[in-house]
């Protein structure tokens, strides 16, 4: 049962081959059996999951089921879930039971999906390896000595290990695509504003975007159809109809123009990854696509600009964690200053503190123009690069990451090297564009991701292009050993 | 040396919306602590602000009233600082691009001159909650009902030159926001409060002196007292050879003095940056025209109209238009009575006297405009004299009914029957031969004595004009 895709699961539920309760119990059993090793979940809410499954079974019986009714989905622990612990993988929110649900969670609830649990992640989504989690690192199911990527590492690992059919993630600088690449699954970061941010705990508000992590583009299309849409509670959500993302999956891609940014194939890219990407491009040529070289000349500025904008916004967004109203509060504070210093000092981990400090500095009087304002200008240049590219090509392709999964602990003492693992994904967030990562082969038994970047609101095209590749390849069907 | 005072005011006025500026929670005053604070106001993880459209319209209304530029694009920014009653750790305000740009307002000075005061800008922001330090025994209570209440911060140019000018300006803005129905202006509840930037310089100098900022002044009297104290303090420092320190000072109304709160060195770095959760506010010319079309009559226009249509003096018109409620009351009285001048005299005289005595606002008056108008009608049709009318007014104020009821019940109708009055006049003349002599000898003042006698006899109900005429005729004719 655990190796069925969403379409097959939905068909099985409707045909009565198995009930949602059986499916949910099967997932719970797999989590119980394997997650001790992977640590991909922070919370598994068995009781609530089974209740939802039973409700879904009633809906199925009544013939009121949608495509996701009765299907277990894991939520990244950054989405608020009413009555369920929502930690953001931080000691700061170790005790925080959200009193409301995120829009994304509400939408899955309304679709009849079963919320099986909350997945592990980098603390407050700050990290690229899942090692900054207060709840300990997640291990990559392809090799437990390596990281699953981050920040949505728990979701990617759980989907890759077939513990759940699908999961949600959020992506601020690559946090869906990079772990998807490292775990060999398909992850989509939608256009900024496509998915509501209401109830999604903010890291960097102008970059954060929720999206699906799934086994295939087809599954991702079904999930995005549920997640996407306007929300009047999010001023940055865009009021635009949501297409049926599954309707165009089978469209012919002959004549598709693929742009390869020459800047994505230079120094730092591991040879094995480059070869896998080349092989994927050959596949696309066989499918009738045309591949042309393009230039995104400001690519080298993306990481520096990102590490000004994202920390600046995070320094302000995380000010609400002050020990006053919710979250961690230090013991016996002497006075207000002591309350702030110790509550925040104890509640936040090192990486979060590092970014709060960088961001506070970047916004300080006298530095604002040199850092924040400059970074915003760079952001515009990067967006202009993409706009020019999309005048020539339909989609842009390249590696999702410069290397496959690295070893646990390998980069924790070297933040800059860690930051560079998002070098190909960050610019997409700065430009607000949709980007997708799909499995494109292996290097030494570790998955490699191919990134496809589209123009604004071209999620349907990305899913179509990815799906066509997955019709002629099997990388996405490979299961890590021990999890078959 | 002669010193010149330079003052600029920052007025915070709470906008009279039903819900908060970025959430759907109610703004009503006086609810139990934290019962009007929703997830957004509490700054829970994951919540997002959504701008209340009504505040934008109110800001436009204010901008139009001060002839200011309405920004086609304005931006909300975060002002970052930690305080327990600031739930998010930042206040959403406007910084570089405020919604209302440079405008102006004319104030009337005591010497009868008027002066134009520049208004640098007005911007929208959210209020913080309240910290309650009393009653918690070493702890602080936090009430977040006020958190997220919409404020319009109105920043003046440093154009004010005396505490009296500052008060006149503050009153003018106060009347304006009430006229515009964008704020209830209730100072007790903190809906209208101000900070004052104060400095002094040698008269004739063109450079500004070092200023201090006086925080949180919540009455007209306090703004005057705080500035007076501060000006004196600064002059004293300068005249004894010292230098004024740039700092924020708090006015203590009990002691009538200001004291230091924080110095420039301790000044906060608020790390303003555009709020990424909110889009820039776009205001089209169509929106502005729509608001303009619905603008109420403004105080200055109303004053001109009162002078032109009702024949009031500039002074009277000024007083009667000081607040929209007073102006509306006056107009209602004038409409019912049919005599604007008489209405003006009564509203500014008797009515204002009663209000002041009981410390009431016009909307708390115990005599409605309709009833006062009805009373004046009885003066105009000679049913009662002005003097009797005051008695009737007192009874109306005490809740005894309308004018006609009271006149009827108390038998206050004027005696206008000439033969009855004639008999009384004859009686009084006969009884006072000495005074008759004096009058005939040319002492006209004695007439008053006779009038008084008749009024006494009739308990004031005789028609004074008639009595006068009869007395003259009889005294001369005999």
């Amino acid at each position: 049962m655990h190796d069925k895709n969403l379409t097959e699961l939905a068909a099985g539920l409707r045909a009565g081959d198995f009930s949602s309760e059986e499916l949910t119990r099967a997932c719970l059993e797999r989590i119980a059996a394997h997650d001790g090793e992977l640590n991909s979940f922070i919370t598994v809410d068995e009781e609530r999951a089974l209740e939802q499954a039973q409700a879904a079974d009633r809906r199925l019986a009544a013939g009121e089921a949608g495509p996701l009714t009765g299907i277990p989905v894991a939520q990244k622990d950054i989405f608020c879930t009413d009555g369920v612990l929502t930690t953001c993988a931080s000691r700061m929110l170790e005790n925080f039971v959200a009193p409301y649900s995120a829009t994304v969670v509400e939408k899955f609830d309304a679709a009849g999906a079963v919320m099986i649990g909350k997945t592990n992640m980098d603390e407050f989504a700050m990290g690229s390896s899942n090692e900054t989690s207060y709840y300990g690192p997640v291990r990559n199911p392809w090799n437990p000595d390596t990281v699953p990527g981050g920040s949505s590492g728990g979701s990617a690992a759980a989907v890759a290990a077939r513990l759940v059919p699908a999961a949600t993630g959020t992506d601020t600088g690559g946090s869906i695509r990079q772990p998807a690449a490292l775990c060999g699954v398909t992850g989509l970061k939608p256009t900024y504003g496509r998915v509501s941010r209401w109830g999604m705990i903010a890291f960097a508000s102008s970059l954060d975007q929720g999206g699906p992590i799934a086994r295939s583009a087809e599954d991702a299309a079904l999930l995005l159809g549920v997640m996407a849409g306007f929300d009047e509670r999010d001023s940055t959500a865009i009021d635009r109809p949501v297409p049926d993302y599954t309707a165009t999956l089978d469209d012919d891609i002959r004549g598709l123009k693929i742009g390869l940014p020459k800047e994505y194939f230079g120094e730092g890219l591991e040879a094995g990854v480059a070869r896998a990407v080349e092989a994927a491009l050959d596949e696309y040529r066989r499918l009738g696509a045309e591949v042309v070289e393009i230039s995104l000349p400001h690519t080298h500025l993306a990481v520096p600009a990102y590490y000004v904008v994202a920390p600046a916004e995070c320094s302000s967004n995380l000010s609400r964690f002050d020990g006053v109203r919710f979250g961690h509060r230090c013991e016996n504070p002497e006075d207000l200053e002591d309350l702030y210093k110790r509550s925040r000092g104890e509640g936040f981990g090192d990486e979060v503190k590092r970014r709060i400090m960088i961001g506070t500095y970047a916004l300080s009087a006298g530095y604002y123009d040199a850092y924040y304002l400059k970074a915003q200008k760079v952001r515009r240049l990067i967006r202009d690069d993409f706009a020019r590219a999309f005048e020539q090509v339909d989609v842009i392709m390249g590696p999702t990451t410069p290397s496959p999964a690295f070893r646990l602990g390998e980069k924790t003492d070297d933040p800059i090297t860690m930051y560079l693992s998002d070098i190909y994904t960050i610019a997409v967030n700065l430009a607000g564009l949709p980007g997708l990562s799909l499995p494109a082969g292996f290097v030494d038994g570790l998955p490699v991701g191919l990134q496809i970047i589209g123009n604004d609101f071209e999620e349907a095209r990305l899913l179509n292009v990815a799906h066509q590749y997955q019709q002629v390849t099997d990388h996405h069907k490979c299961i890590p050993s021990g999890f078959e | 040396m002669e010193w010149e005072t330079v003052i600029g005011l920052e007025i915070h006025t709470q906008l009279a919306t039903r819900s908060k500026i970025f959430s759907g929670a109610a703004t009503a005053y006086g609810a139990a602590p934290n019962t009007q604070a929703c997830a957004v106001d509490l700054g829970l993880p994951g919540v997002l602000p959504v701008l209340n459209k009504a505040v934008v319209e109110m800001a436009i209304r204010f901008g139009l009233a001060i002839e200011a530029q309405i920004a086609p694009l304005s931006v909300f920014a975060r002002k970052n600082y930690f305080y327990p009653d600031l739930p998010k750790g930042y206040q959403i305000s406007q910084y570089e691009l405020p919604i209302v740009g440079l405008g102006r307002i004319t104030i009337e000075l005591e010497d009868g001159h008027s002066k134009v005061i520049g208004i640098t800008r007005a911007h929208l922001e959210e209020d913080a909650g309240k910290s309650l330090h009393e009653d918690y025994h070493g702890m602080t209570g936090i009430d977040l009902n006020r958190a997220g209440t919409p404020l319009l911060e109105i920043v003046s140019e440093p154009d004010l030159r005396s505490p009296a000018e500052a008060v006149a300006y503050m009153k003018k803005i106060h009347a304006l926001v009430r006229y515009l129905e964008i704020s209830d202006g209730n100072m007790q509840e903190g809906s209208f409060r101000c900070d004052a930037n104060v400095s002094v310089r040698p008269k004739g100098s063109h450079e500004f002196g070092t200023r201090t900022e006086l925080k949180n002044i919540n009455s007209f009297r306090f703004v005057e007292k705080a500035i007076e104290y501060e000006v004196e303090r600064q002059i004293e420092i300068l005249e004894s050879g010292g230098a004024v320190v740039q700092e924020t000072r708090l006015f203590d109304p009990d002691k009538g003095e200001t004291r230091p709160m924080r110095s420039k060195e301790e000044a906060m770095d608020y790390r303003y940056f555009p709020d990424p959760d909110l889009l820039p506010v776009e205001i089209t010319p169509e929106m502005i025209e729509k608001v303009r079309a619905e603008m109420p009559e403004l105080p200055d226009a109303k004053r001109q109209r009162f002078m032109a249509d009702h024949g009031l003096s500039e002074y009277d018109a000024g007083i009667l238009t000081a607040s929209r409620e007073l102006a509306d009351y006056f107009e209602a009285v004038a409409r019912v009575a049919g005599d604007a001048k008489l209405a003006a005299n009564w509203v500014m005289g008797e009515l204002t006297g009663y209000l002041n005595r009981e410390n009431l606002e016009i909307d708390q008056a115990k005599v409605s405009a309709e009833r006062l108008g009805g009373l004046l009608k009885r003066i105009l049709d000679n049913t009662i004299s002005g003097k009797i009318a005051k008695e009737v007014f007192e009874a109306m104020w005490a809740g005894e009914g309308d004018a006609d009821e009271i006149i009827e019940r108390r038998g206050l109708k004027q005696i206008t029957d000439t033969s009855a009055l004639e008999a009384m006049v004859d009686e009084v003349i006969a009884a006072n031969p000495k005074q008759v002599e004096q009058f005939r000898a040319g002492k006209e003042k004695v007439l008053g004595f006779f009038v008084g006698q008749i009024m006494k006899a009739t308990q004031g109900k005789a028609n004074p004009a008639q009595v006068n005429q009869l007395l003259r005729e009889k005294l001369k004719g005999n």
Side-chain angles (χ1 to χ4, degrees):
Chain A
M1 193 143 49
H2 65 267
D3 198 32
K4 288 185 162 40
N5 67 28
L6 293 182
T7 310
E8 290 161 351
L9 289 174
L13 286 166
R14 273 162 212 249
D17 298 345
F18 46 86
S19 68
S20 173
E21 189 176 341
E22 285 166 331
L23 177 59
T24 302
R25 284 190 192 281
C27 276
L28 290 167
E29 278 161 25
R30 277 188 74 80
I31 293 169
H34 295 288
D35 208 44
E37 182 189 355
L38 293 180
N39 195 29
S40 64
F41 280 86
I42 291 174
T43 301
V44 177
D45 194 337
E46 193 171 324
E47 201 178 318
R48 181 185 150 119
L50 289 172
E51 269 172 29
Q52 285 190 322
Q54 286 151 7
D57 282 330
R58 288 192 292 276
R59 262 175 86 166
L60 282 155
E64 293 160 359
L68 288 184
T69 305
I71 292 177
V73 174
Q75 294 288 351
K76 185 178 182 180
D77 208 16
I78 200 169
F79 289 102
C80 286
T81 40
D82 194 359
V84 179
L85 197 64
T86 301
T87 69
C88 242
S90 179
R91 185 184 180 196
M92 183 57 87
L93 291 178
E94 193 182 9
N95 58 3
F96 181 68
V97 176
Y100 75 104
S101 282
T103 300
V104 163
V105 174
E106 279 182 356
K107 281 171 170 275
F108 276 111
D109 283 350
V114 174
M115 209 270 289
I116 199 105
K118 308 288 294 287
T119 56
N120 203 347
M121 53 184 279
D122 279 296
E123 185 182 8
F124 283 104
M126 298 177 201
S128 308
S129 66
N130 224 299
E131 292 167 292
T132 71
S133 169
Y134 175 63
Y135 296 89
V138 175
R139 289 174 188 272
N140 192 320
W142 293 93
N143 178 346
D145 294 332
T146 65
V147 303
S151 63
S152 312
S155 289
V159 172
R162 271 53 177 176
L163 306 189
V164 278
T168 60
T170 61
D171 189 317
T172 305
S175 282
I176 287 175
R177 292 158 290 157
Q178 187 255 17
L182 269 45
C183 290
V185 294
T186 303
L188 170 63
K189 181 205 95 76
T191 310
Y192 184 79
R194 180 74 286 188
V195 170
S196 168
R197 294 188 297 116
W198 171 262
M200 199 177 101
I201 298 175
F203 159 19
S205 312
S206 73
L207 301 161
D208 296 342
Q209 186 62 200
I213 293 180
R215 289 177 204 166
S216 64
E218 185 185 358
D219 284 3
L222 280 167
L223 295 165
L224 184 62
V226 169
M227 296 175 81
F230 179 63
D231 181 3
E232 57 183 23
R233 293 174 296 189
D234 175 1
S235 308
T236 61
I238 290 166
D239 193 358
R240 189 185 162 107
V242 178
D244 177 356
Y245 295 109
T246 60
T248 46
L249 287 173
D250 293 324
D251 285 5
D252 200 320
I253 61 164
R254 264 175 296 185
L256 180 81
K257 268 188 115 175
I258 298 170
L260 288 191
K262 60 178 187 210
E263 293 81 3
Y264 286 20
F265 292 87
E267 204 189 331
L269 178 62
E270 277 191 21
V273 175
R275 275 195 300 276
V277 170
E278 271 308 326
L281 291 167
D282 283 342
E283 207 64 66
Y284 275 109
R285 287 188 185 98
R286 277 193 286 277
L287 286 166
E290 182 192 347
V291 180
V292 296
E293 187 182 272
I294 56 161
S295 176
L296 299 170
H298 297 95
T299 297
H300 64 292
L301 297 175
V303 171
Y306 175 86
Y307 277 98
V308 171
V309 173
E313 292 182 7
C314 111
S315 72
S316 176
N317 282 333
L318 269 59
S319 294
R320 69 190 60 200
F321 304 105
D322 57 5
V324 174
R325 297 167 315 288
F326 48 76
H328 179 73
R329 178 188 284 190
C330 68
E331 297 273 346
N332 304 315
E334 276 171 30
D335 54 22
L336 185 58
E337 183 142 338
D338 187 43
L339 169 76
Y340 286 152
K341 281 186 175 165
R342 284 201 286 128
S343 298
R344 289 169 66 78
E346 295 161 4
F348 292 138
D350 288 347
E351 184 60 28
V352 171
K353 286 180 195 165
R354 175 161 31 236
R355 297 199 195 190
I356 289 174
M357 284 188 276
I358 294 171
T360 303
Y361 180 81
L363 290 174
S364 297
Y367 298 102
Y368 179 83
D369 289 3
Y371 294 112
Y372 189 78
L373 205 61
K374 182 67 71 69
Q376 291 291 16
K377 287 176 182 167
V378 168
R379 199 169 170 177
R380 168 48 64 112
L381 294 175
I382 286 168
R383 187 166 163 81
D384 291 348
D385 278 359
F386 280 109
R388 265 190 301 275
F390 285 119
E391 285 168 12
Q392 308 164 44
V393 299
D394 301 314
V395 293
I396 294 169
M397 287 190 192
T400 307
T401 60
S403 72
F406 44 92
R407 302 183 81 77
L408 277 157
E410 186 182 324
K411 298 183 181 182
T412 41
D413 295 331
D414 187 355
I416 303 288
T417 314
M418 184 78 87
Y419 297 168
L420 287 173
S421 59
D422 291 332
I423 191 161
Y424 305 129
T425 49
I426 271 175
V428 176
N429 297 79
L430 290 170
L433 298 169
L436 179 149
S437 179
L438 76 169
F442 294 85
V443 176
D444 302 331
L446 290 171
V448 171
L450 172 75
Q451 182 175 217
I452 314 174
I453 302 164
N455 210 341
D456 290 330
F457 297 102
E458 297 231 310
E459 287 84 0
R461 191 201 289 262
L462 295 188
L463 290 162
N464 163 230
V465 169
H467 181 70
Q468 289 306 302
Y469 176 83
Q470 290 179 336
Q471 294 306 292
V472 295
T473 56
D474 284 331
H475 306 305
H476 64 291
K477 291 182 183 162
C478 299
I479 303 178
S481 71
F483 299 95
E484 291 92 351
Chain B
M1 192 188 296
E2 233 189 301
W3 297 92
E4 183 179 49
T5 304
V6 177
I7 305 159
L9 292 189
E10 291 169 16
I11 293 175
H12 295 85
T13 185
Q14 183 179 317
L15 297 176
T17 52
R18 279 194 302 275
S19 59
K20 293 184 178 178
I21 182 167
F22 298 119
S23 84
T27 53
Y29 180 82
N34 298 312
T35 56
Q36 281 177 183
C38 68
V40 173
D41 307 321
L42 293 171
L44 288 186
V47 300
L48 296 168
V50 175
L51 179 61
N52 182 342
K53 269 187 198 154
V55 304
V56 174
E57 204 191 288
M58 288 181 176
I60 295 174
R61 227 184 285 170
F62 180 79
L64 290 175
I66 60 162
E67 300 164 59
Q69 176 84 42
I70 310 294
L73 201 76
S74 67
V75 170
F76 282 100
R78 293 185 183 177
K79 179 178 180 179
N80 295 283
Y81 65 96
F82 284 98
Y83 205 70
D85 60 25
L86 187 71
K88 299 186 292 298
Y90 57 84
Q91 178 194 27
I92 305 177
S93 181
Q94 295 192 302
Y95 186 54
E96 281 182 332
L97 294 168
I99 189 161
V100 176
L102 189 64
R104 63 208 175 116
I105 196 162
T106 305
I107 60 170
E108 283 73 40
L109 305 179
E110 279 166 359
D111 63 9
H113 286 89
S114 55
K115 179 174 173 178
V116 175
I117 305 299
I119 293 174
T120 317
R121 59 186 281 170
H123 66 253
L124 291 166
E125 60 185 24
E126 59 177 345
D127 208 343
K130 267 187 202 159
S131 293
L132 308 162
H133 300 291
E134 294 92 19
D135 308 331
Y136 290 93
H137 313 288
M139 297 199 289
T140 297
I142 305 292
D143 178 5
L144 295 175
N145 283 352
R146 203 180 65 183
T149 298
L151 298 177
L152 186 67
E153 179 173 335
I154 303 157
V155 183
S156 85
E157 292 281 287
D159 287 348
L160 302 160
R161 291 290 172 268
S162 70
E165 283 186 17
V167 173
Y169 167 79
M170 196 173 168
K171 282 187 171 166
K172 190 83 186 211
I173 297 286
H174 186 252
L176 182 61
V177 296
R178 286 165 61 104
Y179 261 94
L180 295 170
E181 290 180 334
I182 62 175
S183 176
D184 65 15
N186 190 318
M187 297 171 91
Q188 270 93 45
E189 292 174 7
S191 303
F192 193 84
R193 53 190 198 262
C194 95
D195 302 336
N197 286 295
V198 179
S199 65
V200 295
R201 63 183 175 191
K203 202 154 191 144
S205 163
H206 292 290
E207 270 163 44
F208 291 126
T210 304
R211 68 188 164 85
T212 57
E213 186 182 3
L214 313 181
K215 277 278 178 203
N216 243 351
I217 309 169
N218 63 358
S219 86
F220 298 126
R221 202 159 54 85
F222 291 165
V223 78
E224 190 159 24
K225 286 184 83 174
I227 295 170
E228 270 170 7
Y229 176 89
E230 184 57 20
V231 167
E232 227 169 278
R233 192 188 70 88
Q234 290 188 12
I235 291 174
E236 223 166 85
I237 290 172
L238 294 171
E239 288 191 337
S240 58
V244 173
V245 179
Q246 187 177 334
E247 61 185 357
T248 304
R249 298 178 69 87
L250 202 66
F251 176 65
D252 181 341
D254 296 329
K255 292 184 180 154
E257 60 182 35
T258 66
R259 57 168 182 269
M261 203 168 124
R262 56 174 178 262
S263 72
K264 193 187 173 191
E265 285 70 36
E266 297 167 296
M268 309 247 217
D269 179 356
Y270 290 119
R271 308 191 311 279
Y272 281 100
F273 75 106
D275 191 332
D277 287 334
L278 290 160
L279 303 176
V281 182
E282 275 182 68
I283 296 174
T284 60
E286 293 73 45
M287 283 167 74
I288 295 175
E289 286 322 305
K290 190 171 164 277
V291 174
R292 197 194 301 276
E294 290 161 5
M295 286 280 276
E297 186 182 28
L298 296 180
D300 288 343
K302 204 181 270 283
R303 201 178 69 232
Q304 294 302 327
R305 183 168 62 78
F306 279 14
M307 288 159 66
D309 293 3
H310 298 316
L312 300 185
S313 70
E314 181 161 11
Y315 178 79
D316 289 357
I319 288 179
L320 290 172
T321 53
S323 83
R324 184 165 170 179
E325 290 81 358
L326 186 64
D328 288 349
Y329 188 101
F330 156 73
E331 286 211 283
V333 175
R335 193 170 50 243
V336 175
D339 185 324
K341 275 193 176 160
L342 186 66
N345 288 339
W346 272 78
V347 170
M348 291 189 298
E350 209 65 9
L351 178 79
T352 303
Y354 273 75
L355 290 174
N356 289 347
R357 212 168 307 147
E358 297 187 22
N359 209 3
L360 298 177
E361 295 297 323
I362 182 73
D363 54 355
Q364 299 167 297
K366 294 178 183 169
V367 173
S368 71
E370 282 65 34
R371 284 197 164 171
L372 178 53
L375 174 65
L376 303 191
K377 249 163 62 183
R378 294 296 160 258
I379 299 176
L380 291 163
D381 68 9
N382 284 325
T383 307
I384 53 172
S385 66
K387 196 164 168 224
I388 290 292
K390 288 183 182 176
E391 187 189 329
V392 177
F393 184 82
E394 189 182 6
M396 281 161 64
W397 190 269
E400 291 179 23
D402 69 22
D404 288 342
E405 285 164 13
I406 294 165
I407 292 166
E408 185 62 40
R409 196 178 322 120
R410 294 196 177 185
L412 296 175
K413 229 177 201 158
Q414 231 166 206
I415 302 166
T416 48
D417 176 348
T418 313
S419 55
L421 287 177
E422 244 185 295
M424 279 188 224
V425 168
D426 288 341
E427 221 170 281
V428 171
I429 287 174
N432 297 289
K434 212 168 102 194
Q435 281 79 3
V436 172
E437 279 308 310
Q438 287 172 345
F439 182 82
R440 288 186 179 152
K443 212 171 173 188
E444 288 262 328
K445 272 188 190 163
V446 182
L447 191 67
F449 165 79
F450 288 108
V451 174
Q453 290 298 308
I454 290 166
M455 285 301 174
K456 206 166 142 191
T458 60
Q459 288 153 329
K461 287 185 286 184
N463 181 306
Q466 253 177 307
V467 172
N468 257 296
Q469 200 193 335
L470 281 170
L471 273 169
R472 279 183 191 281
E473 279 169 16
K474 299 255 174 189
L475 285 167
K476 281 181 185 157
N478 250 9

